[in-house]
Amino acid sequence: MSFDGKVVVVTGASRGIGREIALAFARKGARVACVATTEAGAAATVEVIASEFGSAKAYACDVSDADSVEALFTAIQADLGTPAVLVNNAGVNRDTLLMRMKEEDWDRVLDVNLKGAFLCIRAVTRSMMKARYGRIVNISSVIGQTGAAGQANYAASKAGLFGLTMSVAKELGSRGITCNAVAPGFIETDMTESLPAEMREMVVKTAPAGRLGLPADIAPAVLFLAGEEAGYVTGQTLTVDGGLTL
């Protein structure tokens, strides 16, 4: 599978799953736009890519802000060209029990995780339609499928990505554009470092794979859905959770 010369946009590319996805595309020859909330965060990923002789550029953007997103894609178009692939990975969590959840905690999670994906898709749609080609991959979560106590905002945002994915697939499929989602399980990232020991033990005991996942377990699924070979796959969710939700 090759992405030689293709422009790939990855949001939330400074660490964890997003960073691994950006590295994986660069290794396959893509020109990667690494997007993070700060340019320094994105630049750290670009530095690793450059050390492996890949091609990438760092961008800072708050994906929940419409003007920032429009400016981002204008800059990417000017710097790298028309994006062929968009990976909506940017995400935050503000976990707490529903009765204690502040309105701003609800709004921030929905704004970044769900609205941010919508804004990025909207920004890239016109150029993809003109090219009559595009691959959009939204990074959701098994929490969006199962729910979780203390994560009402996060679960709602990730479940919303499933509906967004299917709707975009139906709207844009006739123009050669696919839209799919990947739902990771419990992955070893900064976001899961604070998991209680008993929850980690539960995952290890329950998942047939017998371990938590790694960012490197997610990247190949994204590359498959973003590839030429997956042109007849759209509106789908690929769950990568070691069998946890079986």
Side-chain angles (χ1 to χ4, degrees):
M1 184 184 300
S2 173
F3 291 89
D4 282 346
K6 287 186 176 179
V7 178
V8 175
V9 181
V10 182
T11 67
S14 64
R15 58 185 182 176
I17 292 173
R19 175 178 166 136
E20 188 62 36
I21 290 170
L23 294 175
F25 274 112
R27 292 180 187 119
K28 296 293 185 178
R31 292 180 291 164
V32 186
C34 297
V35 182
T37 52
T38 67
E39 189 167 346
T45 300
V46 170
E47 184 177 347
V48 176
I49 290 173
S51 71
E52 297 183 4
F53 307 103
S55 175
K57 187 171 177 61
Y59 298 88
C61 179
D62 176 358
V63 297
S64 70
D65 181 78
D67 291 340
S68 295
V69 170
E70 288 297 329
L72 167 69
F73 281 91
T74 297
I76 292 172
Q77 182 75 41
D79 294 340
L80 302 176
T82 299
V85 178
L86 166 63
V87 181
N88 286 308
N89 171 74
V92 297
N93 65 334
R94 298 286 188 275
D95 296 348
T96 190
L97 294 176
L98 186 63
M99 64 184 294
R100 297 175 182 168
M101 188 175 292
K102 297 178 181 178
E103 186 176 351
E104 53 263 36
D105 291 334
W106 174 274
D107 289 344
R108 183 56 180 165
V109 171
L110 270 291
D111 282 351
V112 174
N113 297 5
L114 184 55
K115 180 184 175 183
F118 153 69
L119 291 175
C120 289
I121 293 170
R122 187 178 69 175
V124 80
T125 294
R126 190 178 300 277
S127 62
M128 283 187 174
M129 290 176 67
K130 186 175 180 180
R132 300 193 69 83
Y133 182 89
R135 297 285 187 267
I136 300 167
V137 183
N138 298 318
I139 307 301
S140 183
S141 169
V142 294
I143 298 301
Q145 298 169 321
T146 66
Q151 291 190 301
N153 48 3
Y154 187 77
S157 71
K158 294 300 187 178
L161 284 175
F162 299 138
L164 177 63
T165 296
M166 292 184 285
S167 296
V168 172
K170 288 185 175 183
E171 283 194 29
L172 303 182
S174 64
R175 303 300 184 94
I177 302 168
T178 68
C179 184
N180 294 285
V182 172
F186 287 87
I187 308 299
E188 294 276 13
T189 66
D190 292 348
M191 193 176 288
T192 59
E193 277 185 354
S194 60
L195 284 175
E198 58 270 21
M199 184 173 288
R200 287 176 171 270
E201 292 173 7
M202 180 276 291
V203 172
V204 171
K205 290 180 180 179
T206 305
R211 63 175 176 87
L212 271 68
L214 300 171
D217 294 316
I218 307 303
V222 176
L223 263 64
F224 164 69
L225 292 172
E228 297 277 357
E229 299 86 345
Y232 202 56
V233 181
T234 194
Q236 305 302 308
T237 296
L238 177 53
T239 300
V240 186
D241 68 348
L244 181 64
T245 54
L246 286 175

